[in-house]
Amino acid sequence: MAGWLFLIVALLGVLAVANAAWPRRGPLLLVPSWALAFLTTDLAPFHFLLQLVLTAGFVAAGALASLPGKLALILLFVSAATLFILWLPNLEAKRIAADVADALHLDETESMPRRLLLTPVRKTVDGVVVTRDVEYFRAAGRALKLDVYRSSLAADQRPALLYLHGGGWVVGDKANQGRPLCNHLASLGWVCLNANYRLSPAATYPDPVVDAKAAIAWLRDHADGYGVDPSFVAIAGGSAGAHIAAMAALTPGDRSLQPGFEDADASLQAVVTFYGAYDLTNRNGSQNPEFATRMIGPYVIKAFPDTEPERFSAASPLDHVQQVTMPWLVVQGGADTLTPPADAREFAIALEQHSDSFVGYVEFPGAQHAFDLYYSPRAIAAVELSARFLITAHRRATSSRAEK
């Protein structure tokens, strides 16, 4: 009996690793396959530990006395070896980030403590204080809230970052995303806001962009209370949050996106977008065709792409790159099955062609969508690079103002 149970457990492990190596891209299995791959690849050391504990338990129970038990042990060895191969690109992440930093001549900053790798879902870090659930805007009968990350050492005139979570515009929460970046920047003296926004299907695009601009305006209105320098506010986001952040940055002065606060300053001075959705028209055919017809159309934009294509274009950051005025870093996973790397590359190239500021692109081989939600060598490299980018953008902006 122990041998058969051991074989079942080994087969489940093999299936998880096989899915991480060859994730499904069909419309029905796309999201569950991504979720399993995302929880497998960068958490490989913890999977190894779990396999080791389970193997020791089954061996102690006599599982190796049977043929199924012996077969299970072989399968686990193959599974562990494959998982190790999938995890190996993590070791290149630091060098890849350093190459991008060197190419952009980014400032050096303090590194993140590597002990965070032992607690991959840690919510807070030493020296950072988080004020949760601060109301910043009211819309459609909802009070929208954000969390404020600050250093425990009080200071004035600090740069600020607004972070927007992902979740396909329909799910997600500030409590679960953006923590590595917000914690690290706060430890370096920044003030970080991690904000919720209205979700579909109750919300209709561009409601989330309105909310993002409202959060920026709120921050400037409350800059003195949080020790923020209102002249430098950056934005970042992941996935759908990256799309919203990009649209907030690429629509400066659009009064229709600031209803009730048309005259407020919602400008941005730097942008970092992680694995974003940059083209909702799928003009290059890199996305699953049902992404627009089954997801974006009925739930987010509330339109049909074949009869109202202009609405999908209007909601695509790729169609607004001519408005870019600030430094921008695009962060992408090379194995992302939800937001294609090809779209991110095209977006970064388009930004570079239209921008007078510095633009960076980094792609981490083997990284799945949302790879930065927990601490891994890859996530740490991405967060440290983002921090160096933002700190450099702030220093250069401050120096430029001083010279005028």
Side-chain angles (χ1 to χ4, degrees):
M1 186 62 179
W4 283 106
L5 287 175
F6 191 22
L7 181 59
I8 292 172
V9 170
L11 286 172
L12 290 174
V14 167
L15 288 174
V17 174
N19 175 76
W22 302 282
R24 305 296 90 194
R25 297 176 185 271
L28 294 179
L29 294 178
L30 178 63
V31 174
S33 177
W34 156 75
L36 183 57
F38 154 72
L39 291 172
T40 301
T41 309
D42 283 331
L43 290 176
F46 298 91
H47 285 273
F48 287 136
L49 181 61
L50 178 61
Q51 288 183 353
L52 184 61
V53 171
L54 289 173
T55 300
F58 279 115
V59 169
L64 295 186
S66 65
L67 180 60
K70 293 183 176 71
L71 179 58
L73 187 63
I74 294 172
L75 289 175
L76 278 179
F77 274 124
V78 173
S79 172
T82 305
L83 190 57
F84 178 71
I85 292 171
L86 291 175
W87 184 85
L88 270 179
N90 266 282
L91 301 181
E92 290 294 305
K94 184 176 182 179
R95 178 193 59 77
I96 291 169
D99 288 346
V100 174
D102 289 345
L104 296 175
H105 307 290
L106 302 185
D107 297 349
E108 294 286 347
T109 62
E110 293 181 28
S111 299
M112 299 168 68
R114 265 38 186 185
R115 64 177 180 274
L116 290 170
L117 294 171
L118 301 177
T119 53
V121 293
R122 187 170 178 177
K123 291 185 176 182
T124 58
V125 299
D126 296 340
V128 173
V129 176
V130 183
T131 304
R132 302 195 185 277
D133 296 324
V134 180
E135 182 179 318
Y136 73 89
F137 190 50
R138 292 186 176 186
R142 286 197 55 201
L144 299 174
K145 299 179 180 181
L146 52 79
D147 297 339
V148 183
Y149 291 68
R150 290 176 290 172
S151 170
S152 56
L153 301 176
D156 291 328
Q157 295 298 294
R158 293 174 287 185
L161 173 82
L162 170 66
Y163 185 90
L164 302 171
H165 66 78
W169 301 274
V170 298
V171 295
D173 190 88
K174 59 184 172 55
N176 305 316
Q177 301 182 38
R179 295 189 307 236
L181 179 59
C182 289
N183 274 310
H184 183 49
L185 274 178
S187 71
L188 296 175
W190 284 52
V191 175
C192 295
L193 312 182
N194 196 336
N196 281 341
Y197 50 85
R198 283 174 286 174
L199 299 174
S200 296
T204 300
Y205 181 86
D207 290 347
V209 180
V210 172
D211 300 342
K213 288 177 176 284
I216 299 164
W218 177 91
L219 173 62
R220 285 200 165 95
D221 285 344
H222 295 80
D224 290 343
Y226 290 97
V228 167
D229 173 8
S231 69
F232 194 94
V233 177
I235 196 168
S239 192
H243 165 264
I244 298 164
M247 289 305 300
L250 294 172
T251 53
D254 188 337
R255 295 172 67 86
S256 69
L257 295 175
Q258 297 183 207
F261 58 102
E262 290 85 354
D263 296 325
D265 183 0
S267 65
L268 291 160
Q269 282 65 56
V271 185
V272 178
T273 47
F274 292 76
Y275 41 85
Y278 302 113
D279 177 21
L280 303 191
T281 71
N282 197 21
R283 71 200 72 189
N284 296 325
S286 55
Q287 303 159 5
N288 188 300
E290 297 189 8
F291 174 65
T293 58
R294 282 192 165 188
M295 176 69 185
I296 299 297
Y299 294 106
V300 181
I301 298 180
K302 316 284 178 66
F304 291 97
D306 57 342
T307 58
E308 297 182 89
E310 69 282 356
R311 293 183 62 184
F312 291 77
S313 177
S316 296
L318 187 59
D319 286 303
H320 296 269
V321 289
Q322 66 276 9
Q323 300 294 326
V324 63
T325 59
M326 69 290 288
W328 200 305
L329 176 65
V330 178
V331 182
Q332 179 66 34
D336 195 318
T337 52
L338 296 187
T339 53
D343 285 358
R345 294 183 206 120
E346 181 184 23
F347 181 65
I349 292 171
L351 285 174
E352 215 166 6
Q353 291 173 343
H354 289 87
S355 180
D356 291 330
S357 299
F358 60 109
V359 174
Y361 177 76
V362 61
E363 184 175 312
F364 293 101
Q368 252 292 1
H369 194 77
F371 70 91
D372 65 320
L373 261 63
Y374 46 77
Y375 293 103
S376 69
R378 200 148 37 200
I380 288 177
V383 169
E384 288 181 338
L385 175 63
S386 301
R388 292 181 64 181
F389 182 88
L390 290 167
I391 286 170
T392 303
H394 176 244
R395 179 187 58 76
R396 292 179 184 176
T398 302
S399 299
S400 178
R401 287 197 303 270
E403 292 172 0
K404 293 179 180 179

